[in-house]
Amino acid sequence: MATMTDVARRAGVSVSTVSYVLTGTRPISEATREKVHAAMAELGYQPNAMARGLASRRSNIIGLLLPLTGRGLGATETAFVTGATEAAREAGYHLMLCSVGTDDADELQTLATQRLLDGFLVMEVQLEDRRVELLRELAAQFVLIGRTAEPAGLACVDIDFEQTVDDAVAHLVGLGHRIIAYVNHSEASLAGGYGPAKRTAAAFEAALERHGITGVMVPSEDTASGGRRAIGTARELCPRLTGVLVMNENAALGILAELREAALDVPWDVSVVSMVTSAAVADLASPALTAMTSPGAAVGAAATRVLLRRLADGDTSTYQELLPCVLEVRGTTAESRRNKKK
Amino acid sequence: MATMTDVARRAGVSVSTVSYVLTGTRPISEATREKVHAAMAELGYQPNAMARGLASRRSNIIGLLLPLTGRGLGATETAFVTGATEAAREAGYHLMLCSVGTDDADELQTLATQRLLDGFLVMEVQLEDRRVELLRELAAQFVLIGRTAEPAGLACVDIDFEQTVDDAVAHLVGLGHRIIAYVNHSEASLAGGYGPAKRTAAAFEAALERHGITGVMVPSEDTASGGRRAIGTARELCPRLTGVLVMNENAALGILAELREAALDVPWDVSVVSMVTSAAVADLASPALTAMTSPGAAVGAAATRVLLRRLADGDTSTYQELLPCVLEVRGTTAESRRNKKK
DNA sequence: ATGAAAGCGCTAACAG
DNA sequence: CTGTTAGCGCTTTCAT
């Protein structure tokens, strides 16, 4: 393995000169730059990442805090990761996967104190998130993919859940639906203060009121059978409902199956809109799900770019960016039949 | 940030002593060990990862080579990652996510030469994989999650696709099915030499022959609509088929939808077995998919442990480990009706 | 525009 | 069982 000293000797210059052509931190004459580049090429030189990191106090690695639960990742989360990885690589950064949830605060403490990572991307953010407090105390650079209850002073990039719920409800109302159920994330998520669950719940309430229509929110496990149970509960509560909003991809499929078995036709008897859903999952259903398509990769990439800019600047001011999901009408929504009869 | 020198001073010992209590590389008296630990605690000391890496020539980071295509990861791939992350962390290692496919050879070259990573876990292995040759040339430590065409001399952990196909076919044959279609990965995967696609194709042929039954293999895109088209093609080719094997989770759901629309009852008219499928996805379907459940997390964890052992040993011998998928009978398979009539 | 040299914080001989 | 010390390979003053 060739070192910088080897390159310097070969090019007939000093090590510092080689270093400077590499980092571009000071002007170098064209002639020596070429000599150095030639020497590096001949030796197949590649800078040693650890040495560089030690001397410069920067690893060029950012940590992705993503609790891996064993239940797997949804398409949206995967897209966050993909977008972040891509954006990091374009900037010459690497991404380290750290399975660190709100409860693993001391592990994060270790991670952040080791000086292995330049900054953090925090996923699966809770409304009250221990990781955020900790990172703040440690004066670490970080950007949230998601938001806490009180995001003032923080940097975060998130899906605009309020807007997404508004748009989804508006779509259903526009089709004449006046009794709408919202199948949210699980009871546990709600209780745990998971941001998307809480925010959409509030936005749903507000939307109902604004449009002067009625509805219920029902929590559901993120499984097909959870969705089945949830729609059952919803129909008990509101027997005449014609519109359903689902937060949860797996539950959405369960709901379609349950409605079919109840001999209710989708979209004509009941219309269903799935939220924060990828096109791939939407097409899994039959009919294909009308969905609010999540800007997953864009969110991941945006968060990464914000973090990298801060690492460069040393900037630490508040930054908020909300990206809306966009409505894609497919086969599960239509004009309310009940509406037509009138 | 406290350094080791600070700790040494505080504990009244030399830096090397501190280093040795940390690494456990040489015997230390109980008394000094305690003094050192106390000093570390008081100072909130945390070793600097870069400095340690530079001096020891080990980063304690392993690279996970996983081409992120933007199409997202299936449940099985996600489970590989989860299992690997978990196993790495238990051993005090970190995992770096590197979106490096067969075509990004020079990027891998850079990565491997930077001395940032101690070893590699290679995912999405092709039968002919440039990354494998390269890693070998560079004398890097690596373990494949998957296999190349000629895995002799390599370390790999993989799903036992041959066994899985055998078991799936045996299940269908045991239920009386004698005309079976196999909906494989896409044409492109087959052409690209994607291991699972090729291996299962061969195993399927062999199984047909062994049981003396007939069938066809049809490639399919990994989408619901792809599955629909594939089953259509299969039924044209074999109108009397009663059994279907599907490699591909999304396609499996498409197949169920298509069969339902063709007024064919699953499982009674046609039985369907999904392969290398997670329980979560299997439950998404209705009826729930009978599936060969993939040992995803176990594979990821096993591969990681093998790699870590090699990093410790310097071992570089051949190592192969194949984990079978296990049959879980749910709602999409049953005794062949055609069989009963006879 | 270039060089010399002092670290960065730790590990691992080497020397007791 | 413990201390001294020479690097690991690079960045970055300070000189020139």
Side-chain angles (χ1 to χ4, degrees):
Chain A
M1 211 92 297
T3 76
M4 196 176 251
T5 311
D6 298 331
V7 175
R9 182 163 31 233
R10 175 124 193 174
V13 299
S14 72
V15 271
S16 60
T17 299
V18 177
S19 174
Y20 285 119
V21 345
L22 237 26
T23 60
T25 324
R26 92 179 175 189
I28 298 280
S29 78
E30 193 51 42
T32 51
R33 188 202 313 287
E34 267 167 28
K35 278 192 301 190
V36 171
H37 275 136
M40 295 198 300
E42 287 162 26
L43 294 172
Y45 172 74
Q46 204 62 248
N48 178 308
M50 292 286 134
R52 174 178 289 213
L54 176 58
S56 67
R57 292 116 199 286
R58 288 158 116 327
S59 63
N60 274 35
I61 307 176
I62 66 190
L64 184 66
L65 267 32
L66 168 60
L68 292 171
T69 54
R71 268 183 300 102
L73 296 178
T76 300
E77 276 83 32
T78 308
F80 287 161
V81 176
T82 305
T85 307
E86 185 55 29
R89 205 195 35 183
E90 276 171 18
Y93 271 75
H94 297 290
L95 211 59
M96 219 169 74
L97 200 57
C98 310
S99 182
V100 172
T102 328
D103 303 329
D104 315 305
D106 42 351
E107 210 185 315
L108 176 54
Q109 162 103 351
T110 309
L111 257 181
T113 322
Q114 268 180 148
R115 322 260 64 206
L116 176 56
L117 271 9
D118 290 345
F120 297 87
L121 247 27
V122 187
M123 283 182 62
E124 304 281 305
V125 179
Q126 308 294 121
L127 284 187
E128 302 296 329
D129 202 308
R130 187 77 191 80
R131 293 173 297 175
V132 173
E133 304 168 27
L134 190 56
L135 253 13
R136 210 170 204 169
E137 286 168 24
L138 297 172
Q141 282 284 15
F142 63 100
V143 173
L144 311 184
I145 296 182
R147 275 168 292 166
T148 56
E150 200 43 81
L154 296 175
C156 41
V157 177
D158 198 2
I159 291 172
D160 190 337
F161 289 102
E162 286 82 356
Q163 183 69 51
T164 301
V165 168
D166 280 3
D167 291 350
V169 171
H171 174 57
L172 288 171
V173 169
L175 290 170
H177 300 278
R178 313 209 56 81
I179 307 183
I180 298 176
Y182 171 39
V183 178
N184 199 339
H185 282 295
S186 71
E187 193 80 69
S189 299
L190 248 3
Y194 183 54
K198 305 283 280 187
R199 282 174 216 285
T200 52
F204 181 67
E205 279 306 321
L208 288 184
E209 184 144 350
R210 184 151 15 87
H211 289 103
I213 63 174
T214 60
V216 273
M217 189 201 81
V218 183
S220 165
E221 294 301 317
D222 190 8
T223 60
S225 56
R228 285 168 174 269
R229 277 191 299 274
I231 188 65
T233 307
R235 293 188 57 223
E236 275 170 31
L237 264 31
C238 297
R240 294 168 44 86
L241 69 83
T242 67
V244 179
L245 219 64
V246 208
M247 181 45 149
N248 189 310
E249 301 172 345
N250 295 347
L253 298 197
I255 287 170
L256 293 185
E258 185 72 16
L259 288 173
R260 184 167 49 235
E261 285 173 22
L264 285 170
D265 186 64
V266 173
W268 302 108
D269 293 323
V270 178
S271 282
V272 177
V273 178
S274 182
M275 299 209 309
V276 194
T277 295
S278 66
V281 172
D283 286 326
L284 245 48
S286 61
L289 278 164
T290 290
M292 307 299 299
T293 301
S294 104
V299 170
T304 304
R305 280 192 288 264
V306 172
L307 178 58
L308 295 183
R309 185 159 5 107
R310 308 191 137 227
L311 290 177
D313 288 346
D315 179 14
T316 193
S317 58
T318 301
Y319 179 95
Q320 320 255 78
E321 184 174 350
L322 298 181
L323 283 66
C325 296
V326 354
L327 173 66
E328 299 206 11
V329 179
R330 297 193 185 82
T332 57
T333 51
E335 184 103 357
S336 169
R337 186 177 275 176
R338 203 157 290 176
N339 190 46
K340 275 189 177 167
K341 283 183 195 154
K342 283 179 199 165
Chain B
M1 210 91 297
T3 77
M4 195 176 254
T5 310
D6 299 331
V7 175
R9 183 163 30 232
R10 175 123 192 175
V13 299
S14 72
V15 272
S16 61
T17 299
V18 177
S19 175
Y20 286 119
V21 344
L22 236 26
T23 61
T25 324
R26 90 180 177 190
I28 298 282
S29 78
E30 193 51 43
T32 51
R33 187 200 313 288
E34 266 167 29
K35 276 192 302 190
V36 170
H37 275 136
M40 295 198 299
E42 287 161 26
L43 295 171
Y45 171 74
Q46 204 62 247
N48 177 308
M50 292 286 136
R52 175 182 291 220
L54 177 57
S56 67
R57 292 112 194 288
R58 289 160 119 318
S59 63
N60 273 35
I61 308 177
I62 65 190
L64 184 66
L65 267 30
L66 169 59
L68 293 172
T69 54
R71 268 182 301 101
L73 296 177
T76 301
E77 276 82 33
T78 308
F80 287 161
V81 177
T82 305
T85 306
E86 185 56 29
R89 205 193 37 181
E90 276 171 18
Y93 272 75
H94 297 291
L95 212 59
M96 220 169 73
L97 201 56
C98 311
S99 182
V100 172
T102 329
D103 303 328
D104 315 305
D106 43 352
E107 211 185 314
L108 176 54
Q109 162 103 344
T110 308
L111 257 181
T113 322
Q114 268 180 147
R115 323 259 64 206
L116 176 56
L117 272 8
D118 291 345
F120 297 87
L121 247 27
V122 186
M123 283 181 63
E124 304 280 305
V125 179
Q126 309 292 121
L127 283 187
E128 301 296 329
D129 202 308
R130 187 76 192 82
R131 295 173 296 176
V132 173
E133 305 167 27
L134 190 56
L135 255 11
R136 209 170 205 169
E137 286 168 24
L138 296 172
Q141 282 283 14
F142 63 99
V143 173
L144 311 184
I145 297 182
R147 276 168 292 166
T148 57
E150 201 43 82
L154 296 174
C156 41
V157 177
D158 198 1
I159 290 172
D160 190 336
F161 289 102
E162 286 82 357
Q163 184 70 52
T164 302
V165 168
D166 280 3
D167 291 351
V169 171
H171 175 57
L172 288 171
V173 169
L175 290 170
H177 300 278
R178 312 210 57 82
I179 307 183
I180 298 177
Y182 171 39
V183 178
N184 199 340
H185 282 295
S186 70
E187 193 80 67
S189 298
L190 247 1
Y194 183 54
K198 305 283 278 186
R199 281 174 216 288
T200 53
F204 180 66
E205 279 307 321
L208 287 184
E209 185 145 350
R210 184 149 17 84
H211 289 103
I213 62 175
T214 59
V216 275
M217 188 200 83
V218 183
S220 165
E221 294 301 316
D222 190 9
T223 60
S225 55
R228 284 168 176 269
R229 277 192 299 274
I231 187 67
T233 307
R235 293 187 56 223
E236 275 169 31
L237 264 31
C238 297
R240 296 168 45 85
L241 69 83
T242 66
V244 179
L245 218 64
V246 208
M247 182 44 153
N248 188 313
E249 300 173 345
N250 294 347
L253 298 196
I255 287 171
L256 292 186
E258 186 72 15
L259 289 173
R260 183 167 51 233
E261 286 174 20
L264 284 170
D265 188 66
V266 174
W268 301 108
D269 294 321
V270 179
S271 282
V272 177
V273 179
S274 183
M275 300 210 308
V276 193
T277 295
S278 67
V281 173
D283 286 327
L284 245 47
S286 62
L289 278 165
T290 290
M292 308 298 299
T293 300
S294 102
V299 170
T304 304
R305 280 191 286 264
V306 172
L307 178 58
L308 295 182
R309 186 161 3 106
R310 307 189 138 227
L311 290 177
D313 288 346
D315 179 14
T316 193
S317 59
T318 302
Y319 179 94
Q320 321 255 79
E321 184 173 349
L322 298 181
L323 283 66
C325 294
V326 354
L327 174 67
E328 299 207 11
V329 179
R330 297 195 184 81
T332 59
T333 51
E335 183 103 358
S336 169
R337 186 177 278 176
R338 204 156 292 176
N339 190 46
K340 274 188 177 166
K341 282 184 194 152
K342 284 182 201 166

